[in-house]
Amino acid sequence: MNYSIPVNPEEIMALRQRPVDEEMIAVAIAGLVKMARSQGQSLDDLTAEVLQDDPILDRVQRRWLSDIVAQAWKTMP
């Protein structure tokens, strides 16, 4: 991978300066999962955050993203 997994919100925000590609999205999701775990959040907590109303993603997109986050949660050590 060309990106390191972000470990804090600032590093996730710094990804906005990079071109969007599949690898960058995967790294951002991995960082999100890693940060949630380090803050003691459960998968249910994180999923609830992803599913909250958002002006950027519609309901279907948020459901799709929550499924991907759950898969990452289950496969990451």
Side-chain angles (χ1 to χ4, degrees):
M1 269 203 274
N2 296 323
Y3 303 102
S4 59
I5 295 176
V7 295
N8 58 50
E10 293 79 21
E11 290 181 5
I12 289 221
M13 294 305 286
L15 291 175
R16 298 176 87 184
Q17 305 304 316
R18 306 227 181 199
V20 176
D21 61 15
E22 292 171 351
E23 184 178 347
M24 191 271 296
I25 293 169
V27 166
I29 291 170
L32 180 67
V33 168
K34 191 173 187 174
M35 284 188 297
R37 285 180 174 168
S38 73
Q39 295 172 359
Q41 287 185 294
S42 69
L43 175 56
D44 289 338
D45 295 334
L46 185 54
T47 300
E49 284 184 35
V50 171
L51 291 174
Q52 286 179 350
D53 280 341
D54 182 272
I56 297 172
L57 302 176
D58 64 30
R59 185 178 54 82
V60 173
Q61 291 168 324
R62 289 190 311 270
R63 170 52 56 198
W64 176 78
L65 181 57
S66 72
D67 291 344
I68 292 172
V69 168
Q71 288 175 9
W73 183 284
K74 292 172 185 172
T75 58
M76 287 179 60

